[in-house]
Amino acid sequence: MSSYIRIETRDLCKGFVTKAGRLEVLDSTDLIVRDGEFVSVLGPSGCGKSTLLSLLSGIELPDSGTVKIDGRSPAEDLKSASWMPQQDSLFPWRSVVANVALGFEVAGGIGRAEAKQRATGLLEDFGLEQFAEMHPRQLSGGMRQRVALARTVAQQRNILLLDEPFGAL
């Protein structure tokens, strides 16, 4: 196992203001994930798992503490990790292949035609090739989740932050 630290949080704190007052979701949370590790965060609903992933992806900012991905804050390098939220967030006007191609487009450096070609190959890996031209409304929940996962993988990042990736499967 490599000793290189890919993800690190120190004294990470995050809370939200609610009608009932302030809700502390994460309080002095420390986490170290080394290169090559596969880590699952388990806990009851509302314990801060999604909040942690939002902080790691740079979508949210911590109230205090530090978040480092490969030694840098997510705000310094938004391309350090791919994040797949709980909701599939597919674009309803895009076909399956176009939704997956978006991952390649976001990664940058290639045009739409090449992104679509690569996405077509990736659909085979996810067992979705026969649904390439369908739209999200025509898919089951599990299929939508696989399309979202394929789009996340298409971003070609070394770190995947997956929030309940198999919830609909």
Side-chain angles (χ1 to χ4, degrees):
M1 181 80 46
S2 173
S3 63
Y4 177 68
I5 296 174
R6 299 302 303 257
I7 298 173
E8 181 176 18
T9 70
R10 294 281 180 209
D11 293 321
L12 189 60
C13 296
K14 182 67 177 178
F16 299 97
V17 176
T18 69
K19 290 181 181 181
R22 184 160 175 84
L23 175 63
E24 295 300 328
V25 179
L26 297 174
D27 184 21
S28 300
T29 302
D30 293 337
L31 173 69
I32 292 178
V33 179
R34 297 184 188 287
D35 190 40
E37 289 184 326
F38 180 95
V39 175
S40 295
V41 179
L42 304 174
S45 181
C47 74
K49 301 178 299 291
S50 296
T51 299
L52 176 62
L53 292 174
S54 293
L55 292 164
L56 292 173
S57 68
I59 300 296
E60 296 271 349
L61 296 174
D63 294 336
S64 63
T66 59
V67 176
K68 298 287 183 185
I69 306 285
D70 290 334
R72 299 168 58 180
S73 77
E76 292 177 278
D77 184 7
L78 292 175
K79 292 188 174 187
S80 58
S82 294
W83 176 58
M84 181 180 141
Q86 288 179 23
Q87 311 273 325
D88 60 59
S89 302
L90 300 177
F91 291 108
W93 60 89
R94 282 185 165 229
S95 66
V96 166
V97 71
N99 266 290
V100 174
L102 183 61
F104 289 109
E105 293 170 30
V106 167
I110 63 172
R112 281 191 170 188
E114 185 177 347
K116 188 173 181 179
Q117 183 179 11
R118 288 186 187 184
T120 299
L122 197 55
L123 290 179
E124 292 175 20
D125 294 339
F126 284 82
L128 294 164
E129 63 274 6
Q130 70 259 29
F131 307 103
E133 297 306 321
M134 295 179 86
H135 287 81
R137 71 180 177 282
Q138 298 170 302
L139 305 176
S140 70
M143 291 168 66
R144 290 174 60 103
Q145 202 77 347
R146 283 189 287 153
V147 173
L149 182 57
R151 181 180 60 196
T152 303
V153 168
Q155 293 177 42
Q156 302 173 305
R157 307 284 194 255
N158 290 324
I159 298 171
L160 300 178
L161 304 170
L162 309 175
D163 195 352
E164 297 191 27
F166 308 117
L169 299 182

